[in-house]
Amino acid sequence: MVKKQSKKEIIIQEAAIIFKQKGYAATSMRELAEKVGMEAASLYNHIRSKDEILEEICFKVANQYVSHISSIEDTKESNIQKLRDLIQLHVRMIIADPNEVSVANNDWKNLSETKKELYKTIRKGYEKRIANLIKAGIEAGEFKDLNVSVALFTLLSSLRWIELWYKPGRDISPEQLENDLMTLLINGFQK
Amino acid sequence: MVKKQSKKEIIIQEAAIIFKQKGYAATSMRELAEKVGMEAASLYNHIRSKDEILEEICFKVANQYVSHISSIEDTKESNIQKLRDLIQLHVRMIIADPNEVSVANNDWKNLSETKKELYKTIRKGYEKRIANLIKAGIEAGEFKDLNVSVALFTLLSSLRWIELWYKPGRDISPEQLENDLMTLLINGFQK
DNA sequence: CCTACCGATCGGTAGG
DNA sequence: CCTACCGATCGGTAGG
């Protein structure tokens, strides 16, 4: 049962597609309006500004990542298993919403100054929690003795091609994708 | 001995810094002119267009990557060692030119239609050569039996945070950085 | 949701 | 390298 989308949701969804293709700054409201099937001026009956669309996308994605990491932290699993869960989380978030994840990752720079600071704060908080997971794994002797920043950013960065590459038609299933990613990354981390 | 830069080179260098910060589309020629210390109209005595700046940056970077990979392919080393050399190549290219590498990776979408196609062709050719290296490693029994696309893009993607993070003041040297990266990635690949 | 329209800013040119 | 300026396009508003 598909929930009926509001016009605002449709506008944001279409915007995410175009922003991903050409970037936020290079996309005009007239182009977006055409995709949605109305005049540019009419968009403003549903959204307040171009800015607002970007904000909704970026903070929706950021909040989703943050909200899921708590459940990983709270388990009593090994740090290796937590790392597996984290990789799975990222893969599934990207496959569920590739356009919005892509826009958040690439176009957050175009947020207004205050929103940009907020976004960076949220992201740093998220990174900090993963850094702690990595530290715990190193201290427990589960992970190799790596520089934490290098391990952290290599991990997060290594998952970012998926949002640009994966589509349902690929000759690899999400499960296979997760499996190969875990093989590559877990073996890099594990002592 | 530092070679004296032409005004055009200075303009492109400054442009790379601003494009990296705010993106190509969100940067105005007036802003660039101010950084360079002249009026916007005067820029056009040195460059033909805003487009041209982006083209110079993107193709300079692309050609550098391509020109270096031949020397890796031509050695008689193991595929593992070739992979190490490739990681080193990327790290050194990024440290040598973080702004331009970053712009090429993030703003190539803003190239004109024909230049964008050319850029994509060059990049695909580069990726194909690395894919062949990975295939050879798998067939030789040096690498794990991974999906080649997943291995390829995970490798390339995992190196892309460096251009955003690394600066001379970091508490980690380029050598340490290369070392930890190789530990992480080689152990992921190696059988 | 549309027509009509605004002020601001954009990349770029002419002419010196 | 600057002054003066152009046409085009931008995000957005008024009023219905």
Side-chain angles (χ1 to χ4, degrees):
Chain A
M1 197 162 68
V2 178
K3 192 189 152 206
K4 192 166 176 292
Q5 283 182 305
S6 69
K7 262 282 147 60
K8 181 173 177 178
E9 286 169 334
I10 292 169
I11 289 169
I12 289 175
Q13 191 179 66
E14 287 298 320
I17 295 170
I18 313 182
F19 292 170
K20 182 182 179 181
Q21 280 168 12
K22 352 195 341 174
Y24 171 80
T27 303
S28 75
M29 294 302 274
R30 282 149 178 89
E31 190 180 352
L32 172 57
E34 199 187 357
K35 285 268 174 148
V36 175
M38 54 175 72
E39 293 300 315
S42 304
L43 291 172
Y44 293 87
N45 290 303
H46 305 285
I47 51 126
R48 272 192 295 277
S49 64
K50 191 186 177 189
D51 274 340
E52 194 205 6
I53 300 174
L54 184 61
E55 287 168 19
E56 295 243 357
I57 293 171
C58 290
F59 290 102
K60 180 185 150 192
V61 170
N63 290 333
Q64 275 179 359
Y65 276 103
V66 169
S67 76
H68 279 96
I69 200 174
S70 300
S71 60
I72 293 176
E73 289 169 335
D74 292 347
T75 60
K76 296 289 176 208
E77 294 165 334
S78 66
N79 291 295
I80 282 280
Q81 186 55 40
K82 284 181 182 174
L83 188 59
R84 284 183 188 276
D85 291 346
L86 184 71
I87 293 166
Q88 194 179 72
L89 165 65
H90 275 245
V91 173
R92 293 186 181 183
M93 291 265 311
I94 293 168
I95 288 177
D97 245 329
N99 299 317
E100 303 197 354
V101 170
S102 200
V103 170
N105 278 330
N106 293 295
D107 275 327
W108 61 270
K109 279 182 247 174
N110 295 297
L111 287 167
S112 67
E113 213 53 51
T114 43
K115 295 289 181 180
K116 184 162 58 180
E117 288 309 310
L118 176 58
Y119 184 85
K120 282 158 75 173
T121 302
I122 293 173
R123 198 185 55 184
K124 274 184 189 166
Y126 184 73
E127 289 167 355
K128 186 79 189 167
R129 290 164 81 171
I130 301 178
N132 287 339
L133 196 165
I134 293 171
K135 271 182 209 160
I138 293 172
E139 283 166 18
E142 294 177 62
F143 297 168
K144 298 192 190 79
D145 189 24
L146 297 156
N147 179 292
V148 175
S149 293
V150 174
L152 167 66
F153 293 122
T154 301
L155 172 67
L156 293 180
S157 188
S158 70
L159 298 166
R160 286 209 33 210
W161 60 275
I162 308 166
E163 70 207 32
L164 305 171
W165 180 85
Y166 190 80
K167 40 192 132 181
R170 290 291 180 198
D171 63 342
I172 182 170
S173 68
E175 290 75 25
Q176 281 177 295
L177 177 59
E178 280 176 18
N179 256 330
D180 273 10
L181 280 169
M182 289 193 193
T183 302
L184 272 165
L185 295 171
I186 297 294
N187 281 288
F189 274 85
Q190 201 161 34
K191 202 163 185 174
Chain B
M1 197 163 67
V2 179
K3 194 189 151 206
K4 193 166 176 296
Q5 283 182 307
S6 69
K7 262 281 146 59
K8 181 172 178 178
E9 286 167 335
I10 291 169
I11 290 168
I12 290 174
Q13 192 180 67
E14 287 298 322
I17 295 170
I18 313 182
F19 292 170
K20 182 182 180 182
Q21 280 168 13
K22 354 198 334 177
Y24 171 80
T27 303
S28 75
M29 294 301 274
R30 281 151 178 87
E31 190 180 353
L32 172 57
E34 198 187 359
K35 285 268 174 149
V36 175
M38 55 174 73
E39 293 299 316
S42 304
L43 291 171
Y44 293 87
N45 290 302
H46 306 285
I47 49 125
R48 272 191 296 278
S49 63
K50 191 185 177 188
D51 274 339
E52 194 205 7
I53 300 174
L54 184 61
E55 286 167 21
E56 295 243 357
I57 293 171
C58 290
F59 289 102
K60 180 186 152 193
V61 170
N63 290 332
Q64 276 180 359
Y65 275 103
V66 169
S67 76
H68 280 98
I69 199 172
S70 301
S71 60
I72 293 176
E73 289 169 335
D74 291 348
T75 61
K76 296 288 175 211
E77 294 166 334
S78 67
N79 291 295
I80 282 281
Q81 187 55 42
K82 284 181 181 173
L83 189 57
R84 284 181 186 278
D85 292 346
L86 184 70
I87 292 166
Q88 194 177 74
L89 164 64
H90 275 245
V91 172
R92 293 187 181 184
M93 290 264 313
I94 292 169
I95 287 177
D97 245 331
N99 300 316
E100 302 198 355
V101 170
S102 199
V103 171
N105 278 331
N106 293 295
D107 274 328
W108 61 269
K109 280 181 245 174
N110 295 297
L111 288 167
S112 67
E113 213 53 50
T114 43
K115 295 290 180 180
K116 185 163 58 181
E117 288 308 310
L118 176 59
Y119 184 85
K120 281 158 76 174
T121 304
I122 293 173
R123 199 186 53 184
K124 274 185 191 166
Y126 184 71
E127 290 167 354
K128 185 80 188 165
R129 291 164 80 171
I130 301 178
N132 287 339
L133 196 165
I134 293 171
K135 272 183 209 159
I138 293 172
E139 282 165 19
E142 293 177 63
F143 297 167
K144 298 193 190 79
D145 189 23
L146 297 156
N147 178 292
V148 175
S149 293
V150 173
L152 167 65
F153 292 122
T154 301
L155 172 67
L156 292 180
S157 188
S158 71
L159 298 166
R160 286 206 36 209
W161 61 276
I162 308 165
E163 71 208 33
L164 306 172
W165 179 85
Y166 190 81
K167 39 192 132 183
R170 289 292 179 198
D171 63 342
I172 182 169
S173 69
E175 290 74 27
Q176 282 176 294
L177 178 59
E178 281 176 18
N179 256 330
D180 273 11
L181 280 169
M182 288 193 192
T183 302
L184 272 166
L185 296 170
I186 296 295
N187 281 287
F189 274 85
Q190 202 161 31
K191 202 165 187 172

